[in-house]
Amino acid sequence: MTPTDRRARERAETQRKILDAARRLFAVEGYEAVTMRRIADACEYTPAALYNHFPDKAALLRQLCRLDFLALAERFSQVAAITDPLDRLAATGMEYVRFGLEHPNHYRMMFLAPPPLPKAASDFQDQGDPYRDGYAFLRQVCSEAIAAGALRHELKDAELVAQTMWAGVHGVVALTLTMADDDWVPWRPVEQRAETIIATLLRGIAAP
């Protein structure tokens, strides 16, 4: 490994530690309440070191969000080779649930907290690319299911089908992350709940 490669690797590792610390703090305390100094303290760097990697808190958050959404899209790519569109749709739903449960702080920032920043042009650079945009992947699967005649004849809107499937699996993840410790409800295993909601939705939209 050359000195240049070593420095690049060290810089990437430092940025990863900063982003991980920021993600935890944002998820627990909220974006507005967290300062760059607080992030620096959490990852045991000086504020100057943070500014050497990110010019401000907004830039840090934008990078954090982009990487997390890319990570979700990467999970979906694992099921892209499934030929049957309904089987692929079911597998996509399960990957979504597993991602949320394996990365709860990612998920809270991505889908359970209101966006703390207005959209910028750079936020749209991956939009529509199914390899880098998880929603685009889901919509593409739904479009292919419609084209294959796998859905009920009245379901011609891929956006509607995608958003309906998304709402179902999001509900499973959101309830688990926010209510799993509540003893009021005798919760069933989350994988079982996820499989049941996906199967139920597919029965509702599939062609007879």
Side-chain angles (χ1 to χ4, degrees):
M1 180 183 294
T2 67
T4 300
D5 291 338
R6 186 177 299 107
R7 285 193 296 270
R9 188 172 182 176
E10 290 171 353
R11 182 174 179 81
E13 177 62 16
T14 299
Q15 288 188 355
R16 185 192 65 76
K17 290 180 180 178
I18 293 169
L19 291 167
D20 286 348
R23 184 188 292 109
R24 288 193 301 271
L25 291 171
F26 290 156
V28 174
E29 301 178 15
Y31 174 78
E32 295 297 338
V34 177
T35 63
M36 290 290 273
R37 179 173 292 277
R38 179 86 172 83
I39 297 169
D41 290 343
C43 56
E44 299 182 337
Y45 293 126
T46 65
L50 257 68
Y51 286 111
N52 189 39
H53 292 272
F54 301 99
D56 52 35
K57 188 170 69 167
L60 194 160
L61 178 65
R62 291 191 191 283
Q63 177 69 356
L64 189 65
C65 290
R66 181 164 186 268
L67 291 175
D68 288 354
F69 279 104
L70 284 173
L72 177 59
E74 173 64 23
R75 291 294 290 263
F76 290 166
S77 70
Q78 298 176 25
V79 303
I82 297 176
T83 304
D84 183 275
L86 291 184
D87 289 344
R88 197 179 335 133
L89 192 53
T92 301
M94 287 305 301
E95 285 301 323
Y96 181 94
V97 171
R98 290 175 183 133
F99 175 87
L101 299 179
E102 291 168 14
H103 306 286
N105 287 333
H106 296 56
Y107 196 88
R108 289 186 178 96
M109 281 295 302
M110 295 163 72
F111 300 117
L112 294 179
L117 296 174
K119 291 287 187 183
S122 61
D123 295 331
F124 294 91
Q125 59 185 305
D126 297 323
Q127 187 179 31
D129 180 351
Y131 295 100
R132 304 176 70 82
D133 172 356
Y135 180 72
F137 181 91
L138 173 61
R139 183 180 59 215
Q140 177 175 284
V141 177
C142 293
S143 294
E144 292 175 3
I146 292 170
L151 303 188
R152 287 169 25 203
H153 68 87
E154 67 269 26
L155 292 175
K156 302 298 185 185
D157 185 346
E159 303 282 1
L160 175 61
V161 177
Q163 291 162 24
T164 300
M165 295 297 298
W166 184 9
V169 291
H170 168 73
V172 173
V173 180
L175 278 174
T176 302
L177 295 185
T178 60
M179 299 287 291
D181 295 330
D182 191 334
D183 294 334
W184 188 269
V185 177
W187 295 106
R188 296 299 183 256
V190 64
E191 288 264 337
Q192 184 179 8
R193 286 185 279 126
E195 290 169 355
T196 300
I197 191 64
I198 291 169
T200 300
L201 287 168
L202 288 178
R203 280 197 299 271
I205 66 175

